[in-house]
Amino acid sequence: MKTQRPIPADDEHRVLPFRPRSALHSPQLRNQSMAVQPRHQDNPPEPLDLSRYERPRPQPDDFRHRMLANIAAFAFTVALTAVGIWLAMSIADLRKTQDCVLMGRHDCIRISPN
């Protein structure tokens, strides 16, 4: 059986350098050693802004058409939910009636008073 040795204190607090993936492919950094280089404080980091990804729209946004499409999608979702609930209740009712008939009972069908 192998005995476990305690970890030496030098290895306990080691800082590993981090390089982005794009930096690994550049030939300048490939030849450098693994030494950590200090960051330059002269250049402030770029602000996190999404404006560089924006594209001009060919035509303005049609708010009325978008709202009508949203209302139609909501109505379709409500109708689909209602049909699903009705179908589940119908299947449960048919299963109840089938179980009743298979037990040999004769009063399984509901008769509605009119």
Side-chain angles (χ1 to χ4, degrees), residues 20-113:
R21 289 179 185 236
S22 61
L24 290 176
H25 298 294
S26 67
Q28 298 154 348
L29 291 178
R30 228 183 269 159
N31 297 332
Q32 291 178 351
S33 66
M34 296 293 286
V36 178
Q37 298 175 355
R39 297 183 78 179
H40 296 289
Q41 298 298 332
D42 299 338
N43 299 336
E46 290 185 27
L48 298 175
D49 189 14
L50 298 178
S51 63
R52 61 182 167 182
Y53 299 112
E54 291 179 1
R55 285 188 263 169
R57 294 179 183 237
Q59 52 187 323
D61 195 15
D62 189 8
F63 182 74
R64 181 179 173 86
H65 180 272
R66 189 168 37 140
M67 288 306 291
L68 288 174
N70 286 343
I71 290 170
F74 180 72
F76 178 74
T77 304
V78 168
L80 196 62
T81 303
V83 168
I85 290 172
W86 171 79
L87 188 61
M89 291 176 71
S90 296
I91 290 173
D93 189 40
L94 285 172
R95 186 178 62 191
K96 235 187 264 185
T97 305
Q98 185 180 16
D99 287 345
C100 180
V101 169
L102 289 175
M103 283 192 296
R105 297 176 64 185
H106 298 289
D107 57 346
C108 297
I109 301 175
R110 282 191 244 154
I111 300 174
S112 60

